[in-house]
Amino acid sequence: MVCQEDVPTSEPVECVKVAINPEHPEQTVMIGGNQSIEGKKAICEVLKANLDVFAWKLADMTGVLRTLAEHKLRIKENTAPVRQKKRGQAPERSKFIVEEVQKLVEAGIMREVTYQSWRSNLVLVKKHDGEWRMCVDFTGLNKACPKDCYPLPEIDWKV
């Protein structure tokens, strides 16, 4: 497996696939190949010591209680809800979408809404390894939100 570092180089850096959980050898992480052997061992030890912070499947992802944090979108006044027309999908993509949505519903990340006022299409994007990633097309919602007049500062300004 080859991974690219943030800094462009002439040659890609080889990554090492490591199984850190002995109970689930199929669950792996990638460690950059430019690490020394001692560095790789140290990274693996830190990861093994903190296995409980990783979400290996959707059901492992626990939500933040609404009493602790809740996010609300600011929508421009007098903006009508955007309802995108449903896009058709090829049968194999449609099957993948149904399976992914079912996983999200079972994990409690999504729930069914009968009378939605906003509607955005799902978009499948091919990953570099050939698998699909399910995304949502929020272009209509983004247009309805006011732009920030103050961008986030450059990180070097903060440091």
Side-chain angles (χ1 to χ4, degrees), residues 41-110:
K41 286 181 181 177
I43 291 171
C44 287
E45 290 305 315
V46 169
L47 294 173
K48 287 178 183 178
N50 296 289
L51 279 176
D52 59 326
V53 301
F54 294 101
W56 296 103
K57 55 187 181 291
L58 290 175
D60 293 342
M61 295 177 63
T62 57
V64 176
L65 298 175
R66 291 177 76 174
T67 56
L68 296 176
E70 186 172 22
H71 178 72
K72 293 188 179 196
L73 292 175
R74 292 183 323 142
I75 305 294
K76 294 176 189 172
E77 289 186 33
N78 303 323
T79 301
V82 176
R83 294 180 183 91
Q84 294 180 354
K85 291 183 181 180
K86 185 180 178 192
R87 294 184 197 146
Q89 298 284 349
E92 67 274 358
R93 290 184 183 191
S94 183
K95 182 181 175 194
F96 176 80
I97 289 172
V98 169
E99 291 170 358
E100 288 297 304
V101 169
Q102 187 62 37
K103 287 180 195 174
L104 293 170
V105 169
E106 288 172 1
I109 295 170
M110 285 178 61

Side-chain angles (χ1 to χ4, degrees), residues 12-32:
V13 177
E14 286 290 326
C15 289
V16 179
K17 190 182 281 193
V18 180
I20 59 170
N21 190 346
E23 295 177 16
H24 301 283
E26 73 281 357
Q27 298 169 345
T28 61
V29 295
M30 302 295 289
I31 298 177

Side-chain angles (χ1 to χ4, degrees), residues 104-117:
L104 293 170
V105 169
E106 288 172 1
I109 295 170
M110 285 178 61
R111 62 183 167 86
E112 185 176 346
V113 178
T114 307
Y115 300 105
Q116 68 272 20
S117 54

